[in-house]
Amino acid sequence: MKKKLTEPQALNRIAAYCSRTERSEFDVRKKLAAWELEADIADRIVDRLKKERFLDDARFARSFINDKMKFNKWGRTKISFELRRKNISPAIYEPLLEELSGDEFEEQLLHILSVKVKSVKAKNDYERKTKLIRFALGRGFGMDMAIKCVNKLLGGDYEETSP
């Protein structure tokens, strides 16, 4: 049988968990729930972590956006979707995403598409462009930016048409 954690033990463990990397309140509450702590104890722990600045959703969102953009090469749509999944308020992350210029996302998309184009097998240019656009959409970039970057990369005018 597993020994139940006391409040000070849980606080120490979760503080160590938060000090390793930025965490969202959602992640911390999920961890506390997995330890089967009562809701009022979890609330006190979360309040204390916020007061002692171990936990800050704005700081987490800034770090998350930076990491996902630089290391995972995600677009604006995918980043905002993942932040919503972690219960981060749009009021927190929308201004952070607005700070980033569209040029940064465009340069990033051009780079990943230039790498991807080498491995895409297609019968014709239309099919190649369609596959690249689908790839860009899957990475969280908008349709307009995807079409613009594919056209820059492969030339020509790709127009979205329905089959």
Side-chain angles (χ1 to χ4, degrees):
M1 188 171 151
K2 208 162 75 172
K3 185 180 158 197
K4 211 164 176 168
L5 289 174
T6 64
E7 187 172 344
Q9 288 173 326
L11 178 62
N12 287 338
R13 274 192 181 179
I14 207 74
Y17 174 73
C18 290
S19 65
R20 284 193 286 276
T21 187
E22 291 296 337
R23 308 285 181 183
S24 68
E25 182 179 338
F26 177 77
D27 292 335
V28 169
R29 287 190 181 277
K30 200 162 79 171
K31 189 82 136 167
L32 293 172
W35 292 343
E36 299 173 359
L37 291 174
E38 296 171 19
D40 61 324
I41 293 174
D43 289 340
R44 281 196 303 267
I45 290 173
V46 167
D47 288 342
R48 179 135 179 226
L49 290 172
K50 283 181 177 179
K51 190 173 71 179
E52 294 180 10
R53 302 200 28 83
F54 278 96
L55 198 57
D56 183 359
D57 278 348
R59 199 173 58 213
F60 168 78
R62 184 176 301 281
S63 171
F64 185 87
I65 290 168
N66 182 47
D67 290 353
K68 295 306 176 188
M69 194 176 139
K70 285 193 171 114
F71 302 120
N72 295 48
K73 309 285 190 240
W74 285 2
R76 189 179 306 255
T77 307
K78 192 166 185 173
I79 290 171
S80 61
F81 175 78
E82 289 299 320
L83 286 169
R84 273 195 312 270
R85 273 191 51 223
K86 291 189 176 285
N87 291 341
I88 306 294
S89 166
I92 293 173
Y93 67 80
E94 286 298 333
L96 298 173
L97 284 172
E98 293 303 318
E99 284 177 14
L100 301 171
S101 71
D103 294 342
E104 291 176 63
F105 284 109
E106 190 174 327
E107 286 172 25
Q108 185 173 297
L109 181 56
L110 277 169
H111 173 73
I112 61 175
L113 286 176
S114 65
V115 171
K116 181 69 176 173
V117 75
K118 297 171 188 167
S119 65
V120 171
K121 293 174 179 37
K123 295 176 190 148
N124 55 43
D125 280 348
Y126 180 80
E127 188 177 325
R128 177 175 290 107
K129 287 180 179 183
T130 303
K131 286 182 177 187
L132 289 172
I133 288 170
R134 226 179 286 130
F135 173 76
L137 293 174
R139 281 291 181 100
F141 293 92
M143 179 63 92
D144 292 342
M145 187 179 289
I147 290 172
K148 180 179 173 184
C149 289
V150 166
N151 283 338
K152 267 188 188 177
L153 194 65
L154 299 178
D157 279 336
Y158 178 93
E159 294 294 324
E160 188 179 359
T161 58
S162 54

